[in-house]
Structure formats: C-alpha cells, structure tokens
Amino acid sequence: MLVWLALSIINSSMVHTFLRHSFFYEDPRYIMFICMVINDALQLSLVTTLYVVSYIFRQIHASVCCLLIMTAVLTTRSTPLILAGMAVERYISICFPLHYGQMCTVPRTLLLIGVILLLTAAPPATDLLITVVKEPPRFFHSSIFCDHSLLFRDRSIYYKNCVFDGTYFSFVALTLLYTYCKIMLTARAASMGLASVKKARNTVLLHGVQLLLCMLAFVVPSLQAALISLFPRLSLEIRYIFFLLVYIIPRFLSPMIYGFRDERFRKYWARHLACRTDRTGRVRPVLLKVNLRGK
C-alpha cells in the first residue's frame, strides 16, 4: 500500500503538471506519455485492490470480480501498445524530422489511442461473452476467489488468450526492434553523435526493458502456480514477490523514462514540486535565494 501511495503521488503530480501547461496538449509525445501514466496508475490501483481484497475477504461477488478483472486486463494489455506508439513517434522524429509535423499530429495521436483501447478491450470482452454462454446464470451471483483463471474457467479462453498474446507481443517486440535499428542506422549515417539521437535510442531501449517486464504478467501465473504447489506454506510470500516484480517495478519505469529524462517536462514538473500550497489553497512558489552580483 505504501508503494502504491508513493507511485500514485508521483503519477498525480505528473498529470497535474501536464494539465497546467497547454503546450503539452499539442505535442503527441507528451499526450502518449500522459496516457501511459494514467493507464499505469489505474492498472496499479486495480491490481492493488484485487490483492488486498483477496487477502482480506478471500471471496467476493463474481460480478464485481468480473468488472475488476476485465478493467485490470485492459490496462495491462494497453501498456505494450502505448510503448510501441511512443517508439514509432521517436523513430519518426529522428528519421523523418522534416515530415514530423505532418505525420505526428494531435488528431492522429488521439485516433491511435482510441484504436489501442479497442484492441485491448476485445480480449476481455470475448472472455466475458464465452463465460456468459458456457456458465450458468447463477455463476455470476456466486462468491469466488477473485482470480482470472477462476472467473474465466473455460479452456477455450486460455488458448484464445495464448494466441492473442503471442501475436500481440511479437508485433510490439518487432516494432521496438525495427525502430531501434533504424535510429541506430540514422545516427551512423549522419556520422555524428547527436544528443537527440542518443536519447531516442536509449528511450527505445528502456521501452524494450519495460516490454520484457510487461511480458512477465503473462508468464508468471504458470510459474507462480508451480512454486506454490512446491512450497504451499510460502504461498503468500510467493504471490507478493511476483506482485512486486510484475506490477510494481514496471510502473517505476514510466516516470523515469519521460518524467526524469525529458528536460522540458522535468523543468515544469520540478517547478510544480517546488511549489507549496498555503492555508487559503493558493499555490505559491517556494522562494529560492539568488546571488546578485553588484556592479
């Protein structure tokens, strides 16, 4: 809960910084970044809620569990596609700088975000449809331990998601690899170590690390089940360790990639953090001592 609270404070301060400065609204890079921040914050809140509920209540109403699970799956699967979109934006800015203004526009960015939401909403929607067809109506009025495999029990759902996830992550991985290679070739062809090219290359590399961590969410359940069967007395500890590895650590990378590394956003973000609210609710900057040199 403390980790969730710390990340929530960081993410909310970033969203507040974005909303206070209108010029961020006109940059596709920052629009996709803030969508990533909001998506990660929502996903972390939902997953934390599921874990706390599972430890405290053990069983909850199946319909409530269904809503939580479907939203958590949607936000989890949105992250890699947003990563791919951000990598393509960096690729265009480096390899096609003269056409960047025509290719990367705000309407196209919003359209891309809408397409990502539709693509990621399709798997949980089909999971629900198959469950409604296969399960008796009383199932959704029962109480269950809130877990994806216990809620969506039909075997066809497992195979469907395996095919989808394989295609899904292969596409994102190839996109990241392609954009990284093209940025490297552009830097080599230019015969210069441009700071923007190096930063774009490092950003795509960090996206790749983040993608690998996101993929753990689909590999870990089988490994976790095997370890729990071998060490049943350590089931809570095993679940918590995998929770940190899969859901907490990747959420630290999003603020680092753009919040700390992006000079423009960092400047306004630091200015926001350097402000404090007085008792009347007004925000006033903390005064900094400036050494003035007399003539």
Side-chain angles (χ1 to χ4, degrees):
M1 292 297 293
L2 289 175
V3 174
W4 167 79
L5 181 61
L7 281 175
S8 297
I9 293 173
I10 293 174
N11 290 333
S12 61
S13 66
M14 287 185 171
V15 174
H16 188 265
T17 301
F18 176 85
L19 294 176
R20 287 193 62 187
H21 304 285
S22 59
F23 53 83
F24 286 136
Y25 306 165
E26 302 171 359
D27 194 323
R29 176 172 49 158
Y30 295 110
I31 293 174
M32 285 190 288
F33 162 63
I34 211 64
C35 287
M36 169 78 76
V37 170
I38 295 173
N39 181 81
D40 284 354
L42 180 59
Q43 194 264 357
L44 184 62
S45 298
L46 286 168
V47 173
T48 303
T49 301
L50 285 170
Y51 269 75
V52 172
V53 166
S54 66
Y55 284 132
I56 297 177
F57 300 104
R58 299 298 295 176
Q59 291 187 340
I60 63 173
H61 201 272
S63 59
V64 177
C65 175
C66 183
L67 178 63
L68 292 174
I69 289 288
M70 290 181 64
T71 310
V73 168
L74 186 149
T75 52
T76 301
R77 286 191 166 121
S78 295
T79 299
L81 286 182
I82 298 176
L83 287 175
M86 296 171 79
V88 171
E89 185 273 334
R90 290 290 79 202
Y91 159 70
I92 294 174
S93 68
I94 297 300
C95 299
F96 303 98
L98 299 179
H99 302 283
Y100 180 83
Q102 291 77 27
M103 299 175 69
C104 296
T105 61
V106 173
R108 288 184 178 181
T109 304
L110 297 177
L111 177 61
L112 175 63
I113 294 170
V115 171
I116 289 173
L117 290 177
L118 287 176
L119 289 175
T120 52
T126 54
D127 291 349
L128 177 61
L129 181 61
I130 294 172
T131 303
V132 169
V133 172
K134 296 293 183 69
E135 298 288 347
R138 65 178 181 275
F139 173 74
F140 291 96
H141 299 283
S142 61
S143 295
I144 63 171
F145 182 83
C146 196
D147 185 78
H148 187 279
S149 60
L150 298 178
L151 178 65
F152 302 115
R153 301 182 296 183
D154 192 81
R155 200 62 181 170
S156 61
I157 294 176
Y158 171 78
Y159 294 119
K160 174 188 69 69
N161 288 334
C162 286
V163 173
F164 176 82
D165 292 335
T167 305
Y168 176 76
F169 282 107
S170 297
F171 168 76
V172 177
L174 289 174
T175 300
L176 293 178
L177 180 62
Y178 176 80
T179 53
Y180 178 78
C181 292
K182 294 297 287 186
I183 290 173
M184 288 293 294
L185 291 174
T186 300
R188 189 168 297 178
S191 299
M192 59 181 69
L194 293 175
S196 59
V197 175
K198 291 182 178 179
K199 182 173 288 187
R201 180 197 62 192
N202 294 334
T203 299
V204 175
L205 275 178
L206 285 172
H207 287 334
V209 173
Q210 196 170 4
L211 175 65
L212 292 176
L213 292 174
C214 290
M215 290 177 67
L216 289 177
F218 303 93
V219 178
V220 157
S222 300
L223 180 59
Q224 177 178 282
L227 289 175
I228 290 176
S229 64
L230 292 174
F231 308 100
R233 294 183 179 180
L234 301 176
S235 60
L236 293 180
E237 288 78 5
I238 293 172
R239 281 169 58 101
Y240 184 69
I241 290 172
F242 280 119
F243 174 72
L244 289 177
L245 291 176
V246 175
Y247 297 107
I248 298 296
I249 294 178
R251 269 70 220 172
F252 274 109
L253 287 180
S254 294
M256 183 183 70
I257 291 175
Y258 278 106
F260 298 118
R261 294 181 67 249
D262 189 275
E263 294 180 2
R264 187 182 186 188
F265 191 87
R266 184 174 68 241
K267 180 178 71 173
Y268 290 96
W269 188 31
R271 186 180 300 175
H272 166 69
L273 295 177
C275 293
R276 57 187 176 90
T277 305
D278 59 15
R279 292 182 179 179
T280 62
R282 293 174 298 177
V283 177
R284 62 186 183 187
V286 176
L287 297 178
L288 302 177
K289 294 183 178 179
V290 180
N291 293 325
L292 299 177
R293 182 187 300 176
K295 292 182 179 180

